[in-house]
Each structure stands twice: as C-alpha cells, then as structure tokens.
Amino acid sequence: MSVVRILLIPLYAYLYMKAQTAKEYITAAAVFAASAMTDMVDGIIARKFNMITDLGKILDPLADKLLQFAALVG
C-alpha cells in the first residue's frame, strides 16, 4: 500500500497544479484523501495481522513525507 501511496503523489501533484475549476481541485483533493486513507488502512492491517516489515518501516514514512511535501509545494 505504501507503493500505491507513492504512485498517487505525482498524480495528485499533476491534478492540483493544472486545476483551474472547483471540480478539478476537488478531484485533486480526492486523490490526496485516497492516499491518506491508504496510509490509515495500511497501518491497521500491519498492526492487526502483525505484517510489519523492514521495507514497510522505510516506505511508510517516506510516502508520508513525500505526500506532505507535495501538498506543501502545491
């Protein structure tokens, strides 16, 4: 799921940067929200099923910071 979040970041940035109407901004916000929701679901699954991996320990915070950075730049 962290990989999906990382892949959604450029999509969010593109949609946000090219947005000119309210509908386009809402679409960008929906992609941002979907990315945030995958973070929450990923955490719930990892804790519930004890699926914590070394790769996940790296990718999850990286995806979080990249999404925050994309929002800040936007």
Side-chain angles (χ1 to χ4, degrees):
M1 291 191 129
S2 294
V3 173
V4 171
R5 261 189 304 150
I6 290 172
L7 294 175
L8 285 175
I9 293 167
L11 177 62
Y12 159 72
Y14 172 76
L15 291 172
Y16 183 79
M17 294 298 183
K18 79 164 197 80
Q20 294 181 353
T21 66
K23 184 177 179 180
E24 291 171 338
Y25 280 110
I26 290 170
T27 303
V31 171
F32 185 90
S35 181
M37 292 300 289
T38 61
D39 183 30
M40 184 177 70
V41 172
D42 185 31
I44 291 169
I45 291 171
R47 284 188 289 281
K48 183 171 181 153
F49 297 105
N50 197 26
M51 298 175 69
I52 299 169
T53 65
D54 290 335
L55 181 60
K57 289 178 186 177
I58 295 169
L59 285 181
D60 187 58
L62 176 65
D64 291 342
K65 299 305 178 215
L66 289 173
L67 184 61
Q68 291 172 3
F69 181 71
L72 177 68
V73 169

Coordinates of all heavy atoms in Angstrom, one line a residue:
M1 N 0.8 -1.2 0.0 CA 0.0 0.0 0.0 C 0.9 1.3 0.0 O 0.4 2.3 -0.5 CB -0.9 0.0 1.2 CG -2.0 -1.1 1.1 SD -3.2 -0.8 2.4 CE -4.7 -0.9 1.4
S2 N 2.0 1.2 0.6 CA 2.9 2.3 0.6 C 3.3 2.7 -0.8 O 3.5 3.9 -1.2 CB 4.2 2.1 1.4 OG 3.8 1.9 2.8
V3 N 3.5 1.7 -1.7 CA 3.9 1.9 -3.1 C 2.8 2.6 -3.8 O 3.0 3.5 -4.6 CB 4.3 0.6 -3.8 CG1 4.5 0.8 -5.2 CG2 5.5 0.0 -3.1
V4 N 1.5 2.2 -3.5 CA 0.4 2.8 -4.1 C 0.3 4.3 -3.7 O 0.1 5.2 -4.6 CB -0.9 2.1 -3.7 CG1 -2.1 2.9 -4.2 CG2 -1.0 0.7 -4.3
R5 N 0.6 4.6 -2.4 CA 0.6 6.0 -2.0 C 1.7 6.8 -2.7 O 1.5 7.9 -3.1 CB 0.9 6.0 -0.5 CG -0.4 6.2 0.3 CD -0.2 6.5 1.7 NE 0.6 5.4 2.3 CZ 1.5 5.6 3.3 NH1 1.6 6.7 3.8 NH2 2.1 4.6 3.8
I6 N 2.9 6.2 -2.9 CA 4.0 6.9 -3.6 C 3.6 7.1 -5.0 O 3.9 8.2 -5.5 CB 5.3 6.1 -3.4 CG1 5.8 6.1 -2.0 CG2 6.3 6.6 -4.4 CD1 6.9 5.2 -1.7
L7 N 2.9 6.2 -5.6 CA 2.4 6.4 -7.0 C 1.3 7.4 -7.1 O 1.2 8.1 -8.2 CB 2.0 5.1 -7.6 CG 3.1 4.0 -7.8 CD1 2.5 2.7 -8.3 CD2 4.2 4.5 -8.7
L8 N 0.5 7.6 -6.1 CA -0.5 8.6 -6.1 C 0.0 10.0 -6.0 O -0.7 11.0 -6.4 CB -1.6 8.3 -5.0 CG -2.5 7.2 -5.3 CD1 -3.4 7.0 -4.0 CD2 -3.4 7.4 -6.5
I9 N 1.2 10.2 -5.5 CA 1.7 11.5 -5.2 C 1.9 12.3 -6.5 O 1.5 13.5 -6.6 CB 3.0 11.5 -4.4 CG1 2.7 11.0 -3.0 CG2 3.7 12.8 -4.3 CD1 3.9 10.6 -2.1
P10 N 2.6 11.8 -7.5 CA 2.7 12.6 -8.8 C 1.3 12.9 -9.4 O 1.1 13.9 -10.0 CB 3.6 11.7 -9.7 CG 4.1 10.6 -8.9 CD 3.3 10.5 -7.6
L11 N 0.4 11.9 -9.3 CA -0.9 12.1 -9.8 C -1.6 13.3 -9.1 O -2.2 14.2 -9.7 CB -1.8 10.9 -9.7 CG -3.2 11.0 -10.1 CD1 -3.3 11.4 -11.6 CD2 -4.0 9.7 -9.8
Y12 N -1.5 13.3 -7.8 CA -2.1 14.4 -7.0 C -1.4 15.8 -7.4 O -2.1 16.8 -7.7 CB -1.9 14.2 -5.5 CG -2.0 15.5 -4.7 CD1 -3.2 16.1 -4.5 CD2 -0.8 16.1 -4.2 CE1 -3.3 17.3 -3.8 CE2 -0.9 17.3 -3.5 CZ -2.1 17.9 -3.3 OH -2.2 19.1 -2.6
A13 N -0.1 15.8 -7.5 CA 0.6 17.0 -7.8 C 0.2 17.5 -9.2 O 0.0 18.7 -9.4 CB 2.1 16.8 -7.8
Y14 N 0.1 16.6 -10.2 CA -0.3 17.0 -11.5 C -1.7 17.6 -11.5 O -1.9 18.6 -12.1 CB -0.2 15.8 -12.4 CG -0.8 16.1 -13.8 CD1 -0.1 16.8 -14.7 CD2 -2.0 15.6 -14.2 CE1 -0.6 17.1 -16.0 CE2 -2.6 15.8 -15.4 CZ -1.8 16.6 -16.3 OH -2.4 16.9 -17.5
L15 N -2.6 16.8 -10.9 CA -4.0 17.3 -10.9 C -4.1 18.7 -10.2 O -4.9 19.5 -10.6 CB -4.9 16.3 -10.2 CG -5.1 15.0 -10.9 CD1 -5.8 14.0 -10.1 CD2 -5.8 15.2 -12.2
Y16 N -3.4 18.8 -9.1 CA -3.5 20.1 -8.3 C -2.9 21.2 -9.1 O -3.5 22.3 -9.2 CB -2.8 19.9 -7.0 CG -3.0 21.2 -6.1 CD1 -4.1 21.4 -5.4 CD2 -1.9 22.1 -6.0 CE1 -4.3 22.6 -4.7 CE2 -2.1 23.3 -5.3 CZ -3.3 23.5 -4.6 OH -3.4 24.6 -3.9
M17 N -1.8 21.0 -9.7 CA -1.1 22.1 -10.4 C -1.8 22.5 -11.7 O -1.8 23.7 -12.1 CB 0.4 21.6 -10.8 CG 1.2 21.4 -9.6 SD 1.5 23.0 -8.7 CE 2.6 22.4 -7.5
K18 N -2.5 21.6 -12.3 CA -3.2 22.0 -13.6 C -4.7 22.4 -13.3 O -5.4 22.9 -14.2 CB -3.2 20.9 -14.6 CG -4.2 19.8 -14.3 CD -4.3 18.9 -15.6 CE -5.6 18.1 -15.5 NZ -6.8 18.7 -15.8
A19 N -5.1 22.3 -12.1 CA -6.5 22.6 -11.7 C -6.8 24.1 -11.9 O -6.0 24.9 -11.5 CB -6.8 22.2 -10.3
Q20 N -8.0 24.3 -12.5 CA -8.5 25.7 -12.7 C -9.9 25.9 -12.2 O -10.3 27.0 -12.0 CB -8.3 26.1 -14.2 CG -6.9 26.1 -14.6 CD -6.8 26.5 -16.1 OE1 -7.8 26.7 -16.8 NE2 -5.6 26.8 -16.5
T21 N -10.6 24.8 -12.1 CA -12.0 24.9 -11.7 C -12.2 24.2 -10.3 O -11.3 23.4 -9.9 CB -13.0 24.2 -12.7 OG1 -12.7 22.8 -12.7 CG2 -12.8 24.8 -14.1
A22 N -13.3 24.5 -9.7 CA -13.5 23.8 -8.4 C -13.6 22.3 -8.5 O -13.1 21.6 -7.6 CB -14.8 24.3 -7.8
K23 N -14.2 21.8 -9.6 CA -14.2 20.4 -9.8 C -12.9 19.7 -9.9 O -12.6 18.7 -9.4 CB -15.1 20.1 -11.1 CG -15.3 18.6 -11.3 CD -16.1 18.4 -12.5 CE -16.3 16.9 -12.8 NZ -17.1 16.6 -13.9
E24 N -11.9 20.4 -10.6 CA -10.6 19.9 -10.7 C -9.9 19.9 -9.4 O -9.1 19.0 -9.1 CB -9.8 20.7 -11.8 CG -10.3 20.5 -13.2 CD -9.7 21.4 -14.2 OE1 -9.2 22.5 -13.8 OE2 -9.8 21.1 -15.4
Y25 N -10.1 20.9 -8.6 CA -9.5 21.0 -7.2 C -10.1 19.9 -6.4 O -9.3 19.3 -5.6 CB -9.7 22.3 -6.6 CG -8.7 23.4 -7.1 CD1 -9.1 24.4 -7.9 CD2 -7.4 23.3 -6.7 CE1 -8.2 25.4 -8.3 CE2 -6.4 24.3 -7.2 CZ -6.9 25.3 -8.0 OH -6.0 26.2 -8.4
I26 N -11.3 19.6 -6.5 CA -12.0 18.5 -5.7 C -11.4 17.2 -6.2 O -11.2 16.3 -5.3 CB -13.5 18.6 -5.9 CG1 -14.0 19.8 -5.2 CG2 -14.2 17.3 -5.4 CD1 -15.5 20.1 -5.4
T27 N -11.2 17.0 -7.4 CA -10.6 15.8 -7.9 C -9.2 15.6 -7.3 O -8.8 14.5 -6.9 CB -10.5 15.7 -9.5 OG1 -11.8 15.9 -10.0 CG2 -9.9 14.5 -10.0
A28 N -8.4 16.6 -7.3 CA -7.0 16.5 -6.7 C -7.2 16.2 -5.2 O -6.4 15.4 -4.7 CB -6.3 17.9 -6.9
A29 N -8.1 16.9 -4.5 CA -8.3 16.6 -3.1 C -8.8 15.2 -2.9 O -8.4 14.5 -1.9 CB -9.4 17.6 -2.5
A30 N -9.5 14.6 -3.8 CA -10.0 13.2 -3.6 C -8.8 12.3 -3.8 O -8.7 11.3 -3.0 CB -11.0 12.9 -4.7
V31 N -7.9 12.6 -4.7 CA -6.7 11.7 -4.8 C -5.8 11.8 -3.5 O -5.3 10.9 -3.0 CB -5.9 12.1 -6.0 CG1 -4.5 11.4 -6.1 CG2 -6.6 11.8 -7.3
F32 N -5.7 13.1 -3.0 CA -5.0 13.3 -1.8 C -5.6 12.5 -0.6 O -4.9 11.8 0.2 CB -4.9 14.8 -1.4 CG -4.1 15.1 -0.2 CD1 -2.8 15.4 -0.4 CD2 -4.6 15.1 1.1 CE1 -2.0 15.7 0.7 CE2 -3.9 15.4 2.2 CZ -2.5 15.7 2.0
A33 N -6.9 12.5 -0.5 CA -7.7 11.8 0.5 C -7.5 10.3 0.4 O -7.4 9.6 1.4 CB -9.1 12.2 0.5
A34 N -7.5 9.8 -0.9 CA -7.4 8.4 -1.1 C -6.0 8.0 -0.6 O -5.8 6.9 0.0 CB -7.6 8.1 -2.6
S35 N -5.0 8.8 -0.9 CA -3.6 8.5 -0.4 C -3.6 8.5 1.1 O -3.0 7.6 1.7 CB -2.7 9.5 -1.0 OG -1.4 9.2 -0.6
A36 N -4.2 9.4 1.7 CA -4.2 9.4 3.2 C -5.0 8.2 3.8 O -4.5 7.6 4.8 CB -4.9 10.7 3.7
M37 N -6.0 7.8 3.1 CA -6.8 6.7 3.6 C -6.0 5.4 3.4 O -6.1 4.5 4.3 CB -8.1 6.5 2.8 CG -9.1 7.6 3.1 SD -9.6 7.7 4.8 CE -10.6 6.3 4.9
T38 N -5.2 5.3 2.4 CA -4.4 4.1 2.3 C -3.4 4.0 3.4 O -3.0 2.9 3.8 CB -3.7 4.0 0.9 OG1 -2.8 5.1 0.7 CG2 -4.6 3.9 -0.2
D39 N -2.9 5.1 3.8 CA -2.0 5.2 5.0 C -2.7 4.6 6.2 O -2.1 3.8 6.9 CB -1.5 6.6 5.2 CG -0.5 6.7 6.4 OD1 0.3 5.7 6.6 OD2 -0.5 7.7 7.0
M40 N -3.9 5.0 6.5 CA -4.6 4.5 7.6 C -4.9 3.0 7.5 O -4.7 2.3 8.5 CB -5.9 5.3 7.8 CG -6.7 4.9 9.0 SD -8.2 5.9 9.2 CE -9.2 5.2 7.8
V41 N -5.4 2.6 6.4 CA -5.7 1.2 6.2 C -4.4 0.3 6.3 O -4.4 -0.8 6.9 CB -6.4 1.0 4.8 CG1 -6.5 -0.5 4.5 CG2 -7.7 1.6 4.8
D42 N -3.3 0.8 5.7 CA -2.0 0.1 5.8 C -1.6 -0.1 7.2 O -1.2 -1.2 7.6 CB -1.0 0.9 5.0 CG 0.4 0.2 4.9 OD1 0.4 -1.0 4.9 OD2 1.4 0.9 4.9
G43 N -1.7 0.9 8.0 CA -1.4 0.8 9.4 C -2.3 -0.1 10.2 O -1.8 -0.9 11.0
I44 N -3.6 -0.1 9.9 CA -4.5 -1.0 10.6 C -4.1 -2.5 10.2 O -4.1 -3.3 11.1 CB -5.9 -0.7 10.2 CG1 -6.3 0.6 10.9 CG2 -6.9 -1.8 10.6 CD1 -7.7 1.2 10.3
I45 N -3.9 -2.7 9.0 CA -3.6 -4.1 8.5 C -2.3 -4.6 9.1 O -2.2 -5.7 9.6 CB -3.6 -4.2 7.0 CG1 -5.0 -4.0 6.4 CG2 -3.0 -5.5 6.5 CD1 -5.1 -3.8 4.9
A46 N -1.3 -3.7 9.1 CA 0.0 -4.1 9.6 C 0.0 -4.4 11.1 O 0.6 -5.4 11.5 CB 1.0 -2.9 9.3
R47 N -0.8 -3.7 11.8 CA -0.9 -4.0 13.3 C -1.8 -5.2 13.6 O -1.4 -6.0 14.4 CB -1.4 -2.7 14.0 CG -0.3 -1.7 14.2 CD -0.7 -0.6 15.1 NE -1.7 0.3 14.5 CZ -1.5 1.3 13.7 NH1 -0.3 1.5 13.2 NH2 -2.5 2.0 13.2
K48 N -2.9 -5.3 12.9 CA -3.8 -6.3 13.2 C -3.3 -7.7 12.8 O -3.4 -8.7 13.5 CB -5.1 -6.1 12.4 CG -6.2 -7.1 12.7 CD -7.5 -6.8 12.2 CE -8.5 -7.9 12.6 NZ -9.9 -7.4 12.7
F49 N -2.6 -7.8 11.7 CA -2.1 -9.1 11.2 C -0.6 -9.2 11.4 O 0.0 -10.2 10.9 CB -2.4 -9.3 9.7 CG -3.9 -9.3 9.5 CD1 -4.6 -8.2 8.9 CD2 -4.6 -10.4 9.9 CE1 -5.9 -8.3 8.7 CE2 -6.0 -10.5 9.6 CZ -6.6 -9.4 9.0
N50 N 0.0 -8.3 12.2 CA 1.4 -8.3 12.5 C 2.3 -8.5 11.3 O 3.2 -9.3 11.2 CB 1.8 -9.5 13.5 CG 3.1 -9.3 14.2 OD1 3.6 -8.1 14.3 ND2 3.7 -10.3 14.6
M51 N 2.0 -7.6 10.3 CA 2.7 -7.7 9.0 C 3.7 -6.5 8.9 O 3.7 -5.9 7.8 CB 1.6 -7.7 7.9 CG 0.7 -8.8 7.8 SD -0.6 -8.7 6.6 CE 0.4 -8.9 5.1
I52 N 4.4 -6.3 9.9 CA 5.4 -5.2 9.9 C 6.7 -5.7 9.3 O 7.2 -6.7 9.7 CB 5.6 -4.7 11.3 CG1 4.3 -4.2 11.9 CG2 6.7 -3.6 11.4 CD1 4.3 -3.9 13.3
T53 N 7.2 -5.1 8.2 CA 8.4 -5.5 7.6 C 9.4 -4.3 7.6 O 9.1 -3.2 7.8 CB 8.1 -5.8 6.1 OG1 7.7 -4.7 5.4 CG2 7.0 -6.9 6.0
D54 N 10.6 -4.7 7.4 CA 11.7 -3.7 7.3 C 11.5 -2.8 6.1 O 11.7 -1.6 6.3 CB 13.1 -4.4 7.2 CG 13.5 -5.1 8.4 OD1 13.0 -4.7 9.5 OD2 14.3 -6.0 8.4
L55 N 11.0 -3.3 5.0 CA 10.7 -2.4 3.8 C 9.6 -1.5 4.2 O 9.7 -0.3 3.8 CB 10.4 -3.2 2.6 CG 10.1 -2.5 1.3 CD1 11.3 -1.6 0.9 CD2 9.7 -3.4 0.2
G56 N 8.6 -2.0 4.8 CA 7.5 -1.1 5.2 C 7.9 0.0 6.2 O 7.3 1.1 6.2
K57 N 8.8 -0.3 7.1 CA 9.3 0.7 8.0 C 10.0 1.8 7.3 O 10.1 2.9 7.8 CB 10.3 0.0 9.0 CG 9.6 -0.9 10.0 CD 10.7 -1.5 10.9 CE 10.1 -2.6 11.8 NZ 11.1 -3.2 12.6
I58 N 10.5 1.6 6.1 CA 11.2 2.6 5.3 C 10.2 3.3 4.4 O 10.1 4.5 4.3 CB 12.3 2.0 4.5 CG1 13.4 1.5 5.4 CG2 12.9 3.0 3.5 CD1 14.5 0.6 4.7
L59 N 9.4 2.5 3.7 CA 8.5 3.1 2.7 C 7.3 3.9 3.3 O 6.9 4.9 2.7 CB 7.9 2.0 1.8 CG 8.8 1.4 0.8 CD1 8.0 0.3 0.0 CD2 9.4 2.4 -0.1
D60 N 6.8 3.5 4.4 CA 5.6 4.2 5.0 C 6.0 5.6 5.4 O 5.3 6.5 5.0 CB 5.1 3.4 6.2 CG 3.8 4.0 6.7 OD1 2.8 4.1 6.0 OD2 3.8 4.4 7.9
P61 N 7.0 5.8 6.2 CA 7.4 7.2 6.5 C 7.8 8.0 5.2 O 7.5 9.2 5.2 CB 8.5 7.1 7.5 CG 8.6 5.7 7.9 CD 7.9 4.9 6.9
L62 N 8.5 7.3 4.3 CA 8.9 8.0 3.1 C 7.6 8.5 2.3 O 7.6 9.7 1.8 CB 9.7 7.1 2.2 CG 10.1 7.6 0.8 CD1 11.1 8.8 1.0 CD2 10.8 6.6 0.0
A63 N 6.6 7.6 2.2 CA 5.4 8.0 1.5 C 4.7 9.2 2.2 O 4.2 10.1 1.6 CB 4.5 6.8 1.4
D64 N 4.7 9.1 3.5 CA 4.1 10.2 4.3 C 4.8 11.5 4.0 O 4.1 12.5 3.8 CB 4.2 9.9 5.8 CG 3.3 8.8 6.2 OD1 2.4 8.4 5.5 OD2 3.5 8.2 7.3
K65 N 6.1 11.5 4.1 CA 6.8 12.8 3.9 C 6.7 13.3 2.5 O 6.6 14.5 2.2 CB 8.3 12.6 4.3 CG 8.6 12.2 5.7 CD 7.9 13.1 6.7 CE 8.2 12.7 8.1 NZ 7.1 12.9 9.0
L66 N 6.7 12.4 1.5 CA 6.6 12.8 0.1 C 5.2 13.4 -0.1 O 5.1 14.4 -0.8 CB 6.8 11.6 -0.8 CG 8.2 11.1 -1.0 CD1 8.3 9.9 -1.8 CD2 9.1 12.2 -1.6
L67 N 4.2 12.9 0.4 CA 2.8 13.4 0.3 C 2.7 14.8 1.0 O 2.2 15.7 0.4 CB 1.8 12.5 0.9 CG 0.3 12.9 0.7 CD1 0.0 13.0 -0.8 CD2 -0.6 11.9 1.4
Q68 N 3.3 14.9 2.1 CA 3.3 16.2 2.8 C 4.1 17.2 2.0 O 3.7 18.4 1.9 CB 3.9 16.1 4.2 CG 3.1 15.3 5.2 CD 3.8 15.0 6.5 OE1 4.9 15.4 6.7 NE2 3.1 14.2 7.3
F69 N 5.2 16.8 1.4 CA 6.0 17.8 0.7 C 5.2 18.2 -0.6 O 5.3 19.4 -0.9 CB 7.3 17.1 0.3 CG 8.2 18.0 -0.5 CD1 8.9 19.0 0.1 CD2 8.4 17.7 -1.9 CE1 9.7 19.9 -0.7 CE2 9.2 18.5 -2.6 CZ 9.9 19.6 -2.0
A70 N 4.6 17.3 -1.3 CA 3.8 17.6 -2.4 C 2.7 18.6 -2.1 O 2.4 19.6 -2.8 CB 3.2 16.4 -3.1
A71 N 2.0 18.4 -0.9 CA 1.0 19.3 -0.5 C 1.6 20.7 -0.2 O 1.0 21.7 -0.5 CB 0.3 18.8 0.7
L72 N 2.7 20.7 0.5 CA 3.4 22.0 0.8 C 3.8 22.7 -0.4 O 3.6 24.0 -0.5 CB 4.6 21.7 1.7 CG 5.5 22.9 2.1 CD1 4.7 23.8 3.0 CD2 6.8 22.5 2.7
V73 N 4.4 22.1 -1.4 CA 4.8 22.7 -2.6 C 3.6 23.3 -3.4 O 3.6 24.4 -3.9 CB 5.6 21.8 -3.5 CG1 5.8 22.3 -4.9 CG2 6.9 21.4 -2.9
G74 N 2.5 22.5 -3.4 CA 1.3 22.9 -4.1 C 0.7 24.1 -3.4 O 0.2 25.0 -4.0

